[in-house]
Amino acid sequence: MKLELGNFYVKDVKFGDTTAYVNGILTINKEEALAYVMEDEHITEADIVIARPGENKRIVPVKEAIEPRCRVNGNPVFPGVTGGIAPAGSGRTHALKNTSVLAVGKHWGSFGDGMIDMSGEGADLTHFSKLINICLVANTDEEFERHEQQKKNKALRWGAMRLSEYVGNAVKEMEPEEIEEFELGPIIKRDQKIKDLPAVVYVMQPQSQMEESGYNDLVYGWDANRMLPTFMNPNEILDGALISGSFMPCSSKWSTYDMQNCPTIKELYKAHGETINFLGVIMSNLNVAMKQKERAAVFVAQMAKSLGADGAILAEEGYGNPDADFIACFDALEDVGVKTVGITNECTGRDGQSQPLVVLSEKANAIVSCGNVSQLIKLPPMEEVIGELAALGRDGLSGGWEGDEKLGPSVREDGSVILENNSMFCGDQVLGWSQKTMREF
Amino acid sequence: MKKAILYINQFFAGIGGEEKADHAPEIREGLVGPSLALDAALKNAEVTHTVICGDNFMGSNQDEAVERILAFLEDKEFDIFFAGPSFQAGRYGNACGVICKAVKEKFGVPVISSMHVENPGVNMFKKEVVIFPGGRSAAAMRKDTKKMAAYGDKVLAGEKIGTAEEEGFYVRGIRHQVIDFTMEPAAVRGVKMLLKKLAGEEYVTELPIPKSDRVEIAAPVKDLATAKIAIVTTGGIVPVANPDRIQSASATRWGMYDVSEMARLEGGVYKTIHAGYDPAAADADPNICVPLDALRAYETEGKIGSLDTHFYTTVGTGTTEAEASRMAEEMVPFLKEHGVDGVIMTST
């Protein structure tokens, strides 16, 4: 399976008469773009706002991030989600690098939403401060969940995906500035010199812990809660087969952008043929009941072993309850002799003294740690807020609060904020960006 | 100039060795024994007083010792508190830990100590007290004191404190996130760690999992009909007066009580002092936690040979593993002396 990602390195994004990409400048016809977004009758009002790295801007509540792309053969970028089912992971997809389309609530936030600061100290706490963000700021008619803490945010998430395709189509007919090739030969037909290298699988545990549909990560549009672990080609992940959900505290969340650019997959590709034989991805999930967690772990370990894996990298999208899935899978892999490295964040509490994972195992002896979800963060006011700052304290975002006896409200009168890392948008970057770790003090 | 106070034991105060270990707590103005080295090493504070207490006095009358020492400190002005170094001396290490913890809780000042890695005080107190690794014996006095002083100076100057590794003290189980843009991203760290693990090379996990101290399951009792059985409980059943003053949570004390003349434990004579569960049922019938009645029946039926004269008890809630194993080690000689073949452990 061979995927060509044709990259266009965007230097700036502006509004203009025609949606087009010329000499590094992406121009968006706002009216046309919004008309396309508002074909979804559930979106009642919408605007597009640009936020660039270094600007004095704060974006909240952010629900999702997507890299603008198009599939050159005209198929949907997100098969089973923004169109019919078609295979992902081979052929040519074009991408507008350095940018992302954000789904931002005009008013309303929810548990899994996060915050992005485009400059200052807060910018260090999320990857998305480094990108030119095309913010779809919108309101919807989803009254059934207006006052729910958990929201599916369907109209906004789908709106942002559709906007990302609209924008991505600007480069459909153009010759990319760079082509990244991703090709993994069939496992049993590889060269002997590759077969002699240690064989490695990447085990992904995307968030799927809501029993009700509409909140979980989707694989080709299918709710990951309703699947057993399965084998996938890494190209499928890089090419839109997996999309993010709307449930997990935000720093633990993997946005669709993170999946499309998954740094761990890219790193494994880099090592493939040099130091490892990269077999592919075992797509697992995260579950509610103990039996489901154990069953998934059994499937993962069996698959890894049957594929001939010597090693695995295991990543979980979440903390707390999902730690049980993570450790069960870690144990199961080690038990069948697959040497495993886990990548996760920790929840050590505001004082740093809580047990880092809900479940521990001595077999989990190799872990890359990407941060503490409960770290307290104070940030000064920003000149401009995209979205609605009040949402951070009002709407039950996982890292914000209305009032606190000692700390006061999350959102101060002067626009400064105090929050837990939990609400920094996709801040812990377990898919591999993270330049955070945990240390003993 | 800021002010510091140091805690030392009777030996380092020059009062005497084991024969003087019952020495009652006292406070002296100025420098005694190790205070001289500490005062010389400290740049940002002077040592104004030295607290002295015998190791046995602290060991056997801990509450009283702590109470008296806290009373001495009540009217003293001080910004920082040191204890030791206690090297490999277990009782001294314990005393340093106990008093540092109490001073920190009462006065909210930084507390600093130094112990050799094998001193049991390290594991008992490293969470609450900044403890620096020290030498085995007093030969390391100057070196160990310098480490405590250097860190103390840094704290007093309000300098930013680094990680436990950077500062050199034992890890306390306080984990915070660090952003470091010179560090490789997680994906690169993960693949590198995996390559090392696959090659059987050394690597450093970023989340060390504490070793769980598992006890192997013992071989079965060969012949129950001739065996002597004892009951050990963490359910806090004690005579109503709680004669050994076992704490209701985070226990450090235990008791053994003679029940050789009893057929059952009567409510009103025995009760639970355990704060971790609803005591109503165990107070009404203590046998539901310490099943003396059932075991007497087994004894009569010949199912077990006999029951030990005593049962052994403490409280499990909030009690650290280190304290629990110390108490068990203290119980074992009695069980052996009584010729016990098997123990029934009951919890709550």
Side-chain angles (χ1 to χ4, degrees):
Chain A
M1 191 178 266
K2 184 175 166 187
L3 171 68
E4 289 183 336
L5 280 180
N7 295 328
F8 298 80
Y9 286 89
V10 178
K11 296 188 188 78
D12 200 5
V13 179
K14 294 177 181 170
F15 295 114
D17 294 337
T18 322
T19 298
Y21 175 78
V22 182
N23 295 330
I25 308 297
L26 174 66
T27 306
I28 299 172
N29 177 334
K30 197 197 248 192
E31 206 177 323
E32 188 182 276
L34 285 173
Y36 184 69
V37 167
M38 293 190 72
E39 281 175 13
D40 179 351
E41 60 190 15
H42 295 292
I43 295 181
T44 52
E45 48 178 334
D47 192 13
I48 299 171
V49 183
I50 311 298
R52 298 171 186 85
E55 288 181 343
N56 205 318
K57 290 177 182 172
R58 172 167 291 157
I59 318 169
V60 67
V62 186
K63 297 159 192 297
E64 168 68 306
I66 303 134
E67 185 170 76
R69 288 184 178 186
C70 69
R71 213 178 279 285
V72 173
N73 68 6
N75 282 345
V77 172
F78 303 105
V81 178
T82 51
I85 304 272
S90 59
R92 175 78 76 85
T93 295
H94 285 178
L96 288 159
K97 307 308 283 187
N98 301 333
T99 67
S100 85
V101 171
L102 300 181
V104 184
K106 185 171 167 68
H107 299 298
W108 304 103
S110 63
F111 185 66
D113 298 357
M115 189 178 97
I116 298 168
D117 274 6
M118 295 307 292
S119 59
E121 205 185 314
D124 291 347
L125 294 161
T126 168
H127 183 72
F128 293 87
S129 59
K130 298 177 184 141
L131 303 175
I132 304 169
N133 291 304
I134 302 160
C135 307
L136 172 65
V137 188
N139 205 4
T140 77
D141 68 355
E142 291 154 312
E143 290 305 323
F144 72 98
E145 63 177 13
R146 174 76 66 233
H147 301 292
E148 297 294 327
Q149 187 175 16
Q150 290 287 2
K151 291 185 176 70
K152 297 179 183 179
N153 291 306
K154 176 157 186 194
L156 259 160
R157 288 161 57 216
W158 262 247
M161 272 185 281
R162 294 180 67 249
L163 177 59
S164 78
E165 286 188 332
Y166 166 84
V167 172
N169 272 311
V171 290
K172 191 172 167 192
E173 311 293 341
M174 294 174 71
E175 203 46 46
E177 293 158 21
E178 172 202 74
I179 293 180
E180 279 182 283
E181 282 186 8
F182 299 93
E183 185 171 18
L184 272 189
I187 289 174
I188 60 165
K189 293 184 179 168
R190 293 180 185 172
D191 294 349
Q192 195 55 45
K193 94 174 171 32
I194 293 182
K195 284 188 190 166
D196 289 343
L197 298 168
V200 173
V201 288
Y202 182 34
V203 182
M204 300 178 77
Q205 298 182 305
Q207 183 48 244
S208 59
Q209 291 196 292
M210 288 296 268
E211 300 283 19
E212 190 185 332
S213 277
Y215 299 97
N216 294 324
D217 294 3
L218 304 179
V219 182
Y220 283 101
W222 184 255
D223 189 333
N225 179 284
R226 286 153 176 74
M227 63 178 251
L228 285 166
T230 192
F231 184 64
M232 292 182 77
N233 188 294
N235 291 1
E236 296 178 280
I237 317 305
L238 296 176
D239 195 30
L242 178 68
I243 69 147
S244 180
S246 180
F247 165 54
M248 203 56 207
C250 204
S251 73
S252 304
K253 181 192 182 87
W254 304 344
S255 73
T256 297
Y257 179 97
D258 294 316
M259 295 162 175
Q260 291 171 303
N261 289 282
C262 180
T264 303
I265 289 180
K266 291 193 173 178
E267 197 59 28
L268 288 166
Y269 252 116
K270 224 187 270 174
H272 178 64
E274 301 289 328
T275 49
I276 62 161
N277 175 9
F278 181 23
L279 298 178
V281 172
I282 297 178
M283 184 58 65
S284 188
N285 56 2
L286 294 169
N287 294 289
V288 181
M290 202 60 210
K291 269 189 181 169
Q292 298 166 339
K293 297 173 193 285
E294 288 164 351
R295 188 179 298 118
V298 164
F299 268 80
V300 167
Q302 176 279 126
M303 224 178 288
K305 198 65 189 164
S306 299
L307 289 166
D310 302 299
I313 290 186
L314 168 68
E316 65 162 325
E317 186 188 359
Y319 74 93
N321 186 298
D323 295 340
D325 304 66
F326 177 72
I327 291 295
C329 204
F330 212 126
D331 281 353
L333 285 163
E334 288 285 335
D335 285 345
V336 295
V338 177
K339 290 182 174 157
T340 303
V341 168
I343 309 184
T344 181
N345 55 4
E346 300 183 27
C347 176
T348 60
R350 291 174 184 174
D351 63 3
Q353 294 192 45
S354 292
Q355 184 170 307
L357 304 175
V358 167
V359 184
L360 299 174
S361 163
E362 282 175 34
K363 289 173 191 164
N365 58 8
I367 289 178
V368 171
S369 186
C370 300
N372 174 19
V373 299
S374 34
Q375 193 95 11
L376 268 186
I377 296 160
K378 288 181 197 170
L379 296 168
M382 286 280 174
E383 274 169 21
E384 184 184 339
V385 172
I386 299 172
E388 188 166 305
L389 189 57
L392 173 65
R394 183 193 61 209
D395 298 342
L397 273 67
S398 58
W401 52 85
E402 194 113 53
D404 180 281
E405 284 172 3
K406 283 186 190 148
L407 301 171
S410 266
V411 180
R412 312 296 166 102
E413 268 177 30
D414 66 352
S416 63
V417 292
I418 179 167
L419 69 162
E420 279 188 356
N421 175 43
N422 259 318
S423 277
M424 293 312 299
F425 185 74
C426 300
D428 294 334
Q429 308 166 0
V430 165
L431 283 185
W433 317 102
S434 182
Q435 285 179 295
K436 292 195 294 184
T437 189
M438 294 289 284
R439 301 246 165 85
E440 290 271 353
F441 284 85
Chain B
M1 194 67 147
K2 301 227 160 127
K3 295 185 168 95
I5 293 178
L6 175 69
Y7 173 94
I8 56 173
N9 71 358
Q10 86 288 346
F11 178 77
F12 286 100
I15 292 165
E18 197 54 37
E19 76 287 354
K20 297 286 185 189
D22 286 323
H23 188 80
E26 59 164 317
I27 189 165
R28 292 190 202 167
E29 209 165 306
L31 308 176
V32 182
S35 302
L36 287 151
L38 180 64
D39 188 60
L42 271 174
K43 293 190 191 80
N44 297 334
E46 57 170 331
V47 181
T48 59
H49 296 81
T50 310
V51 174
I52 303 156
C53 179
D55 285 338
N56 277 354
F57 193 96
M58 179 61 88
S60 347
N61 314 285
Q62 187 177 307
D63 289 352
E64 190 189 338
V66 169
E67 201 177 304
R68 284 209 219 171
I69 293 168
L70 293 181
F72 295 153
L73 298 175
E74 194 84 49
D75 61 348
K76 309 288 183 293
E77 272 178 41
F78 62 109
D79 306 282
I80 194 163
F81 188 84
F82 295 88
S86 55
F87 314 107
Q88 218 175 350
R91 280 178 306 163
Y92 189 18
N94 176 65
C96 288
V98 165
I99 200 64
C100 278
K101 192 178 160 197
V103 167
K104 181 178 148 189
E105 275 164 16
K106 172 111 195 239
F107 301 102
V109 296
V111 292
I112 300 162
S113 191
S114 161
M115 299 178 198
H116 183 261
V117 65
E118 283 165 27
N119 194 319
V122 173
N123 276 331
M124 287 165 71
F125 296 102
K126 66 178 179 182
K127 276 201 157 130
E128 286 96 4
V129 181
V130 170
I131 306 172
F132 283 89
R136 284 182 185 276
S137 69
M141 176 69 81
R142 191 171 294 272
K143 204 173 134 218
D144 292 356
T145 303
K146 270 189 181 164
K147 279 202 243 176
M148 296 201 296
Y151 180 75
D153 277 332
K154 211 168 168 180
V155 173
L156 289 170
E159 284 175 43
K160 193 168 189 270
I161 302 299
T163 64
E165 195 185 347
E166 286 160 357
E167 300 296 340
F169 54 78
Y170 292 109
V171 297
R172 294 181 286 178
I174 298 177
R175 295 173 64 76
H176 290 300
Q177 71 179 25
V178 171
I179 308 169
D180 180 356
F181 290 114
T182 65
M183 186 171 58
E184 287 168 322
V188 180
R189 276 139 64 200
V191 172
K192 281 192 176 170
M193 197 184 287
L194 182 63
L195 287 174
K196 285 186 176 165
K197 191 170 175 176
L198 284 166
E201 292 167 11
E202 289 272 310
Y203 59 85
V204 182
T205 181
E206 296 177 17
L207 171 45
I209 305 286
K211 273 240 172 308
S212 54
D213 196 6
R214 280 177 201 278
V215 179
E216 290 295 316
I217 294 172
V221 175
K222 279 203 185 84
D223 180 12
L224 208 52
T226 60
K228 183 184 269 191
I229 302 298
I231 309 169
V232 178
T233 186
T234 57
I237 302 293
V238 293
V240 284
N242 189 12
D244 291 296
R245 292 174 299 126
I246 299 171
Q247 301 94 329
S248 293
S250 305
T252 59
R253 289 192 284 269
W254 61 278
M256 52 189 283
Y257 305 110
D258 190 341
V259 289
S260 56
E261 302 301 319
M262 294 174 202
R264 52 179 284 115
L265 297 180
E266 296 299 338
V269 181
Y270 288 86
K271 67 168 186 183
T272 181
I273 42 98
H274 193 292
Y277 68 101
D278 185 339
D283 284 350
D285 179 6
N287 299 279
I288 64 167
C289 189
V290 173
L292 183 62
D293 54 354
L295 286 165
R296 285 277 179 247
Y298 278 180
E299 206 177 14
T300 313
E301 291 166 21
K303 229 175 212 171
I304 60 170
S306 62
L307 201 57
D308 188 12
T309 49
H310 293 68
F311 79 94
Y312 308 76
T313 182
T314 186
V315 162
T317 190
T319 301
T320 61
E321 271 186 36
E323 288 290 344
S325 44
R326 177 188 56 76
M327 288 191 275
E329 275 163 24
E330 289 170 9
M331 289 175 193
V332 168
F334 292 99
L335 295 165
K336 282 192 169 157
E337 193 188 311
H338 293 193
V340 170
D341 301 299
V343 168
I344 294 176
M345 279 279 308
T346 66
S347 62
T348 56

